[in-house]
Amino acid sequence: MTPEARERRRIRTPVLAVTAVAWAVTLLADPLRSASGSGAGSAPGSGAGQGPAPAALDARLAHAGHAHHAVVDAGLPASHASHASTENVAGLLIGWALMLTAMMAPLLIPALRHVRARSLRSRRWRVVSLVTVAHAAVWTVGGIVLLAVASALRSVTGHADLAVLLGLVAALSWQLSPLKQYCLNRHCAYPPISSFGSAADRDALRFGATHAAWCLGSCWALMLVSLLAPAWHVAVMLVVSAWMWVEPLDRPERPTWRVRLPLRFLRIARATVRSLPQRVAIRAGGSMGPAGLAGPGGLGAGVSRSGRR
C-alpha cells in the first residue's frame, strides 16, 4: 500500500465505520419512532416497522407541547412540564443527529482529507475535529429548518401522500436548476488552509461551515423528500443517500437547466464490473503461490528434472 493510500484509509475507515453504526442504529433502534410514543408509531400509513417515520417528528413536538399543558393544568410545578418538553426535544435532536450521520458523513470524507493533507502532523486531528464540528453545526441548523418545512407541508396538505408529491416536485425542479449545479460546484471547491496558530483554526472552521452550507444547498430538496416519506422511510433514506454520495464524483459543470446523472460513477461502476473477472483470475493465480508451474512439484520442476536426466 502506498503512503497516499494509507492516508486516505486513515480518514475513510473511521468515517465509514461511524456511518455503518448510524445506519445499524437507525435500522434496529428506530429512535425517532420509539421517542414519539406508541400512537405515532402505529398510526395507519405511517410505515410502522420501516424506520423512523417523518410523522414521528411532528408527534414528538406536539407531545412536548401537550405534556407541558397537561402538567401545568394538573397544578404541578412548571419545572415538570419543562422537563418533559426538554426530553421530547432532546429525543428529536438525537434522532435527527443520527439521521444526519447516516446520510451525510461520507460526504465529509473529501473535506477531511483536504484539511488533513494540508496541516502539520501535530495539528491534523485538531483541524479534522474543527471541520467536523462546523459541518455538524451548520447541518443541525439546516435540519431544524427542513423539519419545520416538512411539518408545515404536512399540515397544509393534510395528507402524507400529497406532501410527498410536493416534495418530489420541489426536488426534481431543484435537481434540474442551475442553482443546484452552482451549489454542487462550490461544494467541490477546496480552499487553502493556514498551517499555524489561530489562522489555521479559523480556516478550518470557515471551511467546515462553508462546505456544509454548499452541501446543504445542494442536498436540501432530497433531504426534504426523505423527511416527508410516510412509509418505507429507511429505503427512501438509502436511495437518497446513495444519490448524494455519488453526485460529487462528477466534474464541475457550467450551471444550466439540464438533467444531471452521476455519469462518472456509472463509468466507474461499469469499468469495475468489466475488470472483475480479470481481478478474480489474478487473485486465483496469486493464491497458487510464487512457485506456480515452475515451483517444486509443478510442471516446471518435472521438465527441469527430465532435462537433467
Side-chain angles (χ1 to χ4, degrees):
M1 181 183 297
T2 63
E4 184 179 356
R6 192 177 298 111
E7 285 295 321
R8 290 198 300 267
R9 177 173 292 185
R10 285 175 180 172
I11 291 294
R12 182 180 64 245
T13 301
V15 172
L16 293 182
V18 170
T19 303
V21 170
W23 276 109
V25 174
T26 300
L27 292 169
L28 299 177
D30 201 358
L32 290 181
R33 183 182 301 281
S34 61
S36 64
S38 58
S42 58
S46 64
Q50 304 302 330
L57 304 175
D58 294 340
R60 189 69 173 173
L61 292 174
H63 182 68
H66 295 330
H68 178 86
H69 292 299
V71 171
V72 173
D73 292 342
L76 297 177
S79 59
H80 290 272
S82 73
H83 178 69
S85 300
T86 301
E87 286 184 348
N88 284 275
V89 174
L92 175 63
L93 293 177
I94 291 173
W96 175 248
L98 185 66
M99 181 179 177
L100 278 183
T101 302
M103 299 182 72
M104 311 307 296
L107 292 175
L108 195 55
I109 293 177
L112 297 182
R113 286 178 182 169
H114 173 72
V115 296
R116 179 178 170 84
R118 285 155 182 81
S119 301
L120 299 176
R121 183 181 298 272
S122 60
R123 295 183 55 88
R124 284 178 177 173
W125 289 112
R126 179 184 179 91
V127 296
V128 165
S129 301
L130 290 174
V131 169
T132 303
V133 168
H135 198 278
V138 171
W139 262 106
T140 299
V141 175
I144 294 174
V145 176
L146 286 176
L147 289 172
V149 172
S151 179
L153 277 177
R154 282 191 293 269
S155 299
V156 170
T157 58
H159 198 281
D161 293 337
L162 182 56
V164 173
L165 180 60
L166 291 178
L168 288 173
V169 171
L172 180 60
S173 301
W174 184 254
Q175 287 294 117
L176 298 175
S177 70
L179 287 176
K180 160 72 177 187
Q181 186 64 57
Y182 181 78
C183 291
L184 194 59
N185 292 346
R186 298 297 299 170
H187 172 247
C188 297
Y190 299 102
I193 303 295
S194 300
S195 301
F196 303 98
S198 60
D201 295 341
R202 189 166 54 250
D203 286 350
L205 288 172
R206 183 186 299 113
F207 174 61
T210 55
H211 186 274
W214 292 118
C215 181
L216 178 62
S218 175
C219 304
W220 70 268
L222 295 174
M223 290 290 290
L224 182 62
V225 172
S226 66
L227 288 174
L228 290 171
W232 298 101
H233 179 60
V234 173
V236 175
M237 284 176 58
L238 283 168
V239 173
V240 169
S241 299
W243 186 273
M244 292 189 300
W245 294 344
V246 301
E247 267 189 329
L249 294 177
D250 287 329
R251 298 177 182 273
E253 300 284 348
R254 185 170 63 90
T256 56
W257 286 95
R258 66 183 182 87
V259 176
R260 293 175 181 82
L261 297 175
L263 298 179
R264 188 175 183 185
F265 170 77
L266 294 177
R267 288 194 295 267
I268 293 174
R270 182 176 59 183
T272 302
V273 171
R274 286 183 175 179
S275 64
L276 189 60
Q278 183 180 2
R279 293 183 180 182
V280 172
I282 292 175
R283 291 191 177 185
S287 63
M288 297 175 61
L293 296 177
L299 179 61
V303 172
S304 61
R305 284 196 294 268
S306 62
R308 285 197 296 270
R309 290 172 191 162

